[in-house]
């Protein structure tokens, strides 16, 4: 769930409980396997049309990484009926905006239009699915775009190699060991036929969910969905290999030198279970306890009181097959990375050996109630949550019931999950330091 907004902070502290309005939706399947979710909301004259494909970087070959993220860009190049370079012009000239994003597990495309352009959004996503033009000029163009993105986000950004370094050390067999941006040499080596084959395999109706959310006439939208999507051919069923990682039983030590930084960072990372498990939800609560704002345990002790760190944090990076729990900190001179790691470990040990107080637990539950309300506060958020709930969790109604999972978590669960996963012999210690010529 998304972080709560500051305006609700006082309510949280007073122990108030937020109440989310139930998200009403209708869902059904077309004969070609496309799952359709319709969520009508007349509160504002806007509509989101979105398609989430069950394809991410974990679906790539070891020598062809970066394909899913590449397609995030490539499928804006044009279609048989949308000329190259016209996609964004069509959207903006009709009062809309659009975007896309890719993770290890899925790729998401969406448009936000005034409600009188609902049909346009549906037609454009159908065009992307049925008639994409994948040619060499588009591949060459987006290759340069992706390379520039990699330079900006990873190669030349301070701490930009943090996630790549953690992933490659935490996973040995699972495709989670590489990042969504992939290896540029792999993209350079790929042929046009390989890109076309990737599209044919994954960007198909039976590997996707279409969500329409906002102000629309339901009967009319059903007709348009049938008109534009029912005739798209069904693809071959997507099968995925299951990867089992060997449990980490001894501390992994790694060092990375970054020429873009002047201050070192210490990272402690633990492999955690899939996002659908109860333990993953508990780990989300543990993150809130440890570093959820300035009143959190780590911030108060290490940053505010002891002034040993400029930054400190903990969060659960949860995904479809596994997750990674991060603890990170940047020491304040003259203190060292090892000092703040020891202090962070001490806070984790407290969670493992002592139940959090009833007052702290109630505050935590109140924060989650507020977060839950705000995660569905916009039509864009609702569309995204509906697609994610269906595609990655297998339960569309989770958009309404997820809060019940959190409500059932006990103080004992928090202690036990911390003891189960956050142990020194089950982690990676990454010393992320300035390059020697920068010291």
């Amino acid at each position: 769930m998304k972080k709560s907004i500051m305006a609700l902070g006082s309510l949280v502290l007073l122990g108030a409980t937020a109440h989310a309005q139930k998200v009403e939706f209708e869902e059904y399947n077309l004969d070609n396997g496309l799952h359709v979710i319709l969520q009508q909301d007349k509160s504002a004259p806007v509509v989101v049309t979105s398609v989430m494909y069950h394809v991410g970087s974990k679906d790539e070959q070891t020598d062809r990484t970066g394909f899913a993220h590449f397609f995030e860009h490539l499928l804006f190049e044009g279609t048989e009926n949308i000329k190259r370079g016209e996609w964004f012009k069509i959207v903006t000239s009709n009062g809309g905006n659009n975007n896309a994003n890719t993770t290890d597990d899925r790729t998401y495309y969406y448009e936000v239009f005034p409600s009188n352009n609902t049909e346009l959004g549906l037609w454009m996503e159908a065009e992307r699915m049925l008639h994409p033009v994948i040619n060499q000029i588009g591949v060459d163009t987006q290759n340069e775009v992706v390379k520039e993105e990699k330079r900006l986000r990873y190669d030349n950004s301070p701490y930009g190699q943090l996630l790549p370094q953690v992933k490659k050390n935490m996973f040995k067999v699972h495709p989670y060991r590489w990042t969504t941006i992939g290896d540029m040499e792999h993209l350079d080596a790929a042929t046009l036929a390989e890109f076309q084959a990737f599209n044919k395999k994954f960007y198909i109706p039976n590997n996707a969910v279409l969500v329409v959310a906002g102000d629309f006439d339901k009967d009319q939208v059903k007709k348009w969905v049938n008109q534009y999507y029912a005739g798209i051919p069904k693809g071959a069923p997507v099968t995925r290999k299951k990867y089992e990682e060997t449990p980490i039983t001894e501390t992994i030590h790694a060092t990375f030198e970054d020429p873009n930084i002047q201050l070192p960072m210490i990272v402690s990372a633990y492999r955690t279970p899939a996002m659908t498990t109860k333990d993953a939800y508990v780990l989300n609560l543990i993150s809130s306890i440890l570093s959820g704002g300035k009143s959190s345990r780590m911030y108060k002790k290490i940053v505010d009181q002891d002034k040993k760190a400029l930054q400190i944090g903990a969060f659960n990076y949860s995904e479809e097959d596994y997750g990674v729990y991060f603890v990170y900190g940047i020491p304040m001179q003259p203190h060292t990375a090892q000092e703040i790691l020891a202090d962070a470990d001490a806070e984790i040990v407290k969670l493992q050996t002592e139940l959090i107080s009833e007052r702290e637990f109630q505050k935590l539950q109140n924060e989650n109630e507020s977060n839950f309300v705000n995660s569905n506060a916009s039509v864009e958020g609702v569309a995204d949550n509906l697609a994610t709930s269906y595609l990655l969790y297998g339960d569309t109604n989770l958009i309404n019931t997820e809060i019940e999972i959190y409500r059932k978590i006990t103080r004992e669960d928090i202690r036990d999950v911390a003891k189960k996963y956050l142990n020194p012999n089950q982690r990676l210690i990454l010393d992320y330091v300035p390059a020697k010529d920068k010291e």
Side-chain angles (χ1 to χ4, degrees):
M1 294 189 295
K2 297 181 176 67
K3 293 291 185 182
S4 59
I5 56 176
M6 293 299 293
L8 289 172
S10 59
L11 293 180
V12 170
L13 293 175
L14 290 171
T17 301
H19 296 281
Q21 184 175 353
K22 184 178 180 181
V23 176
E24 301 286 350
F25 60 89
E26 180 180 349
E27 59 183 332
Y28 59 97
N29 289 318
L30 299 183
D31 290 343
N32 59 11
L34 179 67
H35 194 73
V36 181
I37 303 174
L38 307 179
Q39 195 277 322
Q40 192 178 59
D41 180 358
K42 298 284 189 178
S43 62
V46 296
V47 170
V48 174
T49 54
S50 67
V51 176
M52 184 176 286
Y53 293 92
H54 201 175
V55 56
S57 57
K58 75 174 182 185
D59 297 296
E60 299 159 354
Q61 299 177 26
T62 55
D63 61 348
R64 289 294 184 268
T65 63
F67 265 46
H69 172 261
F70 191 83
F71 267 81
E72 176 195 320
H73 294 263
L74 187 62
L75 292 186
F76 282 103
E77 273 288 305
T79 74
E80 291 181 11
N81 296 299
I82 301 175
K83 293 181 180 179
R84 184 170 182 270
E86 292 295 312
W87 186 285
F88 296 105
K89 293 179 183 178
I90 293 173
V91 172
T92 56
S93 65
N94 284 278
N97 64 79
N98 66 167
N99 214 329
N101 53 71
T102 310
T103 71
D104 292 346
D105 300 313
R106 95 296 179 273
T107 306
Y108 186 58
Y109 302 89
Y110 67 92
E111 292 78 36
V112 184
F113 277 118
S115 54
N116 61 349
N117 280 322
T118 301
E119 183 181 8
L120 177 60
L122 285 166
W123 173 74
M124 293 183 77
E125 285 301 334
E127 276 291 300
R128 196 198 309 267
M129 187 181 294
L130 179 60
H131 294 132
V133 173
I134 300 173
N135 56 26
Q136 196 62 51
I137 187 172
V139 168
D140 291 343
T141 299
Q142 295 306 322
N143 194 307
E144 293 304 313
V145 172
V146 171
K147 285 179 179 177
E148 181 61 21
E149 180 180 346
K150 184 176 183 293
R151 284 190 288 266
L152 289 173
R153 292 178 54 192
Y154 292 89
D155 300 340
N156 300 323
S157 176
Y159 308 103
Q161 291 296 317
L162 173 60
L163 184 59
Q165 292 300 315
V166 170
K167 286 166 72 71
K168 80 172 190 177
N169 281 286
M170 292 295 288
F171 297 100
K172 300 304 178 184
V173 298
H174 198 288
Y176 284 167
R177 66 186 184 272
W178 59 77
T179 59
T180 56
I181 199 99
D183 189 318
M184 297 303 100
E185 292 183 359
H186 295 172
L187 296 177
D188 289 340
T191 65
L192 179 60
E194 287 178 299
F195 287 113
Q196 292 169 337
F198 194 82
N199 179 78
K200 183 178 180 180
K201 181 176 181 179
F202 292 109
Y203 299 84
I204 53 178
N206 47 309
N207 195 46
V209 54
L210 166 69
V211 178
V212 187
D215 181 17
F216 59 86
D217 179 270
K218 190 176 290 187
D219 290 337
Q220 180 61 71
V221 163
K222 286 182 178 180
K223 291 178 182 178
W224 285 330
V225 168
N226 188 69
Q227 176 183 348
Y228 295 121
Y229 293 86
I232 300 176
K234 184 177 184 177
V238 176
T239 58
R240 291 179 171 84
K241 180 180 178 181
K242 294 291 185 181
Y243 296 91
E244 293 291 336
E245 289 284 346
T246 302
I248 299 172
T249 57
E250 294 182 1
T251 304
I252 302 168
H253 292 277
T255 301
F256 180 76
E257 296 183 0
D258 188 340
N260 301 304
I261 65 171
Q262 296 181 336
L263 298 175
M265 174 185 285
I266 190 72
V267 181
S268 178
Y270 309 79
R271 195 187 303 144
T272 55
M275 62 201 301
T276 54
T277 62
K278 178 184 175 181
D279 286 356
Y281 285 95
V282 178
L283 286 161
N284 292 340
L285 292 188
I286 289 173
S287 298
S288 296
I289 296 167
L290 293 177
S291 68
K294 293 186 176 181
S295 63
S296 64
R297 292 187 176 191
M298 282 186 177
Y299 187 92
K300 282 178 64 177
K301 179 73 169 76
I302 304 171
V303 177
D304 193 22
Q305 294 179 11
D306 296 346
K307 294 181 171 49
K308 290 184 178 180
L310 294 171
Q311 291 185 29
I312 197 77
F315 65 95
N316 189 34
Y317 186 79
S318 189
E319 299 189 282
E320 190 174 22
D321 295 342
Y322 287 100
V324 176
Y325 195 89
F326 287 80
V327 178
Y328 67 93
I330 299 176
M332 179 182 292
Q333 295 182 344
H335 300 286
T336 66
Q338 293 305 316
E339 280 185 78
I340 62 173
L341 176 62
D343 288 346
D345 285 348
E347 294 301 327
I348 290 174
V349 170
K350 288 180 183 178
L351 283 181
Q352 294 173 327
T353 55
E354 304 170 10
L355 294 179
I356 68 171
S357 70
E358 286 285 1
R359 184 177 183 276
E360 188 174 12
F361 184 64
Q362 185 59 55
K363 177 185 174 183
L364 188 65
Q365 294 288 6
N366 291 340
E367 288 174 346
N368 276 296
E369 299 282 344
S370 296
N371 292 343
F372 183 67
V373 170
N374 286 295
S375 69
N376 295 322
S378 68
V379 67
E380 295 98 325
V382 167
D384 192 340
N385 288 338
L386 284 168
T388 300
S389 296
Y390 167 77
L391 196 76
L392 298 184
Y393 288 86
D395 178 10
T396 311
N397 198 45
L398 191 67
I399 194 171
N400 293 310
T401 61
E402 185 179 49
I403 190 61
E404 296 300 330
I405 299 174
Y406 283 105
R407 287 172 179 163
K408 292 177 181 178
I409 293 172
T410 66
R411 295 188 298 154
E412 288 78 11
D413 289 331
I414 292 170
R415 178 197 62 198
D416 294 345
V417 168
K419 288 171 65 176
K420 185 175 181 181
Y421 298 103
L422 306 183
N423 297 303
N425 66 317
Q426 296 172 263
R427 67 180 176 180
L428 160 73
I429 298 295
L430 173 65
D431 285 303
Y432 196 104
V433 299
K436 292 179 180 178
D437 61 348
K438 292 287 184 180
E439 287 182 348

